[in-house]
Every structure is written in C-alpha cells, then in structure tokens.
Amino acid sequence: MSRTKLIAANWKMYKTPDQTRAFFADFLPLVSGHTRDEIVVCPPYVDLAAALEAVKGSNVGVGAQNLHWKDEGAFTGEISAQMLLALGITHVIVGHSERRQYFGETDDTVNLRLKAALEAGLTAICCVGEVLEEREAGLTEEVLRRQCVRAFHAISAKKAAKLVVAYEPVWAIGTGKTATPELAAEAHAVIRSEATEVFGEEFAAELRILYGGSVKPDNASALMSQEEIDGALVGGASLDPKSFAAIVKY
Ligand code: PGA
C-alpha cells in the first residue's frame, strides 16, 4: 500500500500576512527537497495570497480552513470554492471541531461544504472526532460512523477522489493530550471501514486518514509509524517553523 502521507498545518486564527511571509522564509529552507510527504499549510483567508506567493516553486501547498457551499451570493462573511480556486488554493479543511463547537457547523453543513469542495476539485480534509464524554461513554465508534456517513452522503467514489479524512479526537485538540498511536489507529480503522461501506474497498484502501490533536515533534514519529495513520493535521505546533519542520521530518 502506498499512501503518501500528508502533513498539514492548521494555523486557526493566528498570523498576519507579514507573519506568514516570515514563517515561510524560515520554514521553506528547512523542508526543501523533502519529497517523502505532501506538505500543506492552511492559514487564515487574509494570509492566503501571501502564503501562495511565498511557496511558489516549492514543495509546499496552501489550503484554506473553510469554504461555503455556494459559488457566490448574499452570504456575508463567507468564501466560496470558486474564490479559493481563483487564488490558486488546492486544499481546504472542512468540518473542523472548532467550527462544529463554536460556529454551528452540523453534519449536514459539513456534507454541503465537502460536496462543494470536491466538486470544485479541491483536496478536502474532512474532520471527524468524538468529544471526551462520548469517548468515556463508549460511543467513539458510533460517533465516528455517524459523522462519516453523514459527511459522505450523496458523494460518489469518483467525486471523492480528493477526499482526505482527519481523525481529531476533540479531547486531544490543544490540550497536550494525544491519543496513543494505538488508540488513533483503532479510530482510523473504524473510519476506513465506514469509507469501505460508503465508497467501496478499492477507494477505502487509498483513502488517507490523518491524525490531529496535540501532534508535536516528540510524538510525531510514534504516530506516523502506525500503518493506519496517513499523516497529521497540526495546530499549535505548526505555528513555529522549526517545530512544524521537525514534524514534517518525523
Ligand atoms: P492542536 O490542533 O495540534 O493544537 O491540538 C489540531 C487541530 O485542531 O487541527
């Protein structure tokens, strides 16, 4: 099996355009020539142009953190797939737990965003993951299956070619608590089995499933050595060029 790992930075609401340029000035030399993994950085919308300019000709891609499902319209504050494409963006995060938790994102709107992203030809990183109470109540598998089945609703395997899933246990995000590699691998297996049911075995075997939640330079190797883990979605530790480069080079 040859799934190229994807190491993606999720900057959340951090950094200005100037800080973005400064990050890449330091980061790109640290990862130049690194071809083992795909590298993507997802800054806030206002930094996308600066990031694209900075990565030109490099081995690093740029993604957005969200998108709206309509091409255009009276949707104040929203950004469409077409707008991202016009800028040169190739990747987008969909359904991050912070969107679900603070901004009313539901399984249904995740599905709409995911469909729009994939139809536009963007690589969509669809986030799923249980909260602590769900894990403690033994509901992790059920929650992951529900989130996947609803996110993937009415999307064909053909359309889903650029789908990536990120397993992000909510209790591990920004808390310093990482799922053990074994725990993460177990959850990834559930997601892959759900993807098999929805899209078929061939598709599921190629699907990349990333782990996210307190990934740091010192735990990246153990996580990435799990056969089921096809990369990482990194928040806090991706803001510093040295630390993100160390993760890329796990
Ligand atoms: P963290 O965030 O690495 O800061 O835990 C991960 C994420 O939310 O994508």
Side-chain angles (χ1 to χ4, degrees):
M1 209 173 307
S2 63
R3 297 188 296 255
T4 303
K5 288 198 201 308
L6 168 61
I7 312 295
N10 173 15
W11 281 1
K12 310 190 178 184
M13 199 173 73
Y14 288 97
K15 295 193 193 291
T16 63
D18 275 349
Q19 291 168 331
T20 299
R21 284 184 274 272
F23 172 92
F24 283 107
D26 291 339
F27 178 68
L28 292 177
L30 297 174
V31 298
S32 82
H34 184 96
T35 51
R36 179 191 58 185
D37 310 272
E38 185 183 357
I39 310 167
V40 172
V41 175
C42 304
Y45 288 132
V46 295
D47 300 324
L48 292 176
L52 283 165
E53 182 61 33
V55 303
K56 244 182 223 165
S58 80
N59 52 336
V60 178
V62 179
Q65 296 175 15
N66 191 19
L67 83 167
H68 193 266
W69 51 89
K70 291 280 174 72
D71 285 349
E72 58 182 12
F75 301 106
T76 303
E78 294 297 314
I79 299 284
S80 72
Q82 297 310 318
M83 293 169 179
L84 296 177
L85 285 179
L87 211 57
I89 293 300
T90 48
H91 293 64
V92 64
I93 299 170
V94 171
H96 190 276
S97 65
E98 285 149 18
R99 305 287 328 161
R100 296 179 191 253
Q101 205 176 339
Y102 307 127
F103 302 102
E105 187 85 82
T106 65
D107 288 333
D108 293 335
T109 55
V110 169
N111 174 246
L112 290 170
R113 291 183 212 280
L114 190 57
K115 267 197 265 190
L118 293 170
E119 262 160 37
L122 291 161
T123 296
I125 304 172
C126 179
C127 302
V128 296
E130 79 287 1
V131 300
L132 186 60
E133 300 79 70
E134 291 165 336
R135 173 156 289 271
E136 284 175 344
L139 295 172
T140 299
E141 174 162 355
E142 190 183 321
V143 168
L144 293 178
R145 286 192 186 274
R146 187 204 72 222
Q147 288 177 340
C148 287
V149 86
R150 293 185 63 180
F152 304 161
H153 176 71
I155 298 174
S156 66
K158 195 163 162 243
K159 281 260 164 69
K162 287 191 174 170
L163 171 67
V164 175
V165 177
Y167 169 58
E168 298 207 308
V170 179
W171 47 270
I173 295 178
T175 58
K177 283 187 209 154
T178 321
T180 61
E182 295 73 24
L183 220 62
E186 227 172 75
H188 285 216
V190 169
I191 293 166
R192 201 173 301 285
S193 115
E194 197 54 50
T196 306
E197 284 189 24
V198 177
F199 299 117
E201 209 162 309
E202 209 177 312
F203 178 94
E206 298 286 320
L207 176 68
R208 290 185 292 179
I209 305 175
L210 318 183
Y211 170 78
S214 298
V215 176
K216 308 278 180 235
D218 63 1
N219 60 24
S221 293
L223 287 161
M224 294 310 120
S225 67
Q226 291 285 325
E227 163 138 7
E228 263 301 328
I229 300 184
D230 306 311
L233 184 54
V234 188
S238 73
L239 294 169
D240 174 72
K242 282 202 196 78
S243 132
F244 189 50
I247 292 172
V248 166
K249 297 179 181 166
Y250 58 87

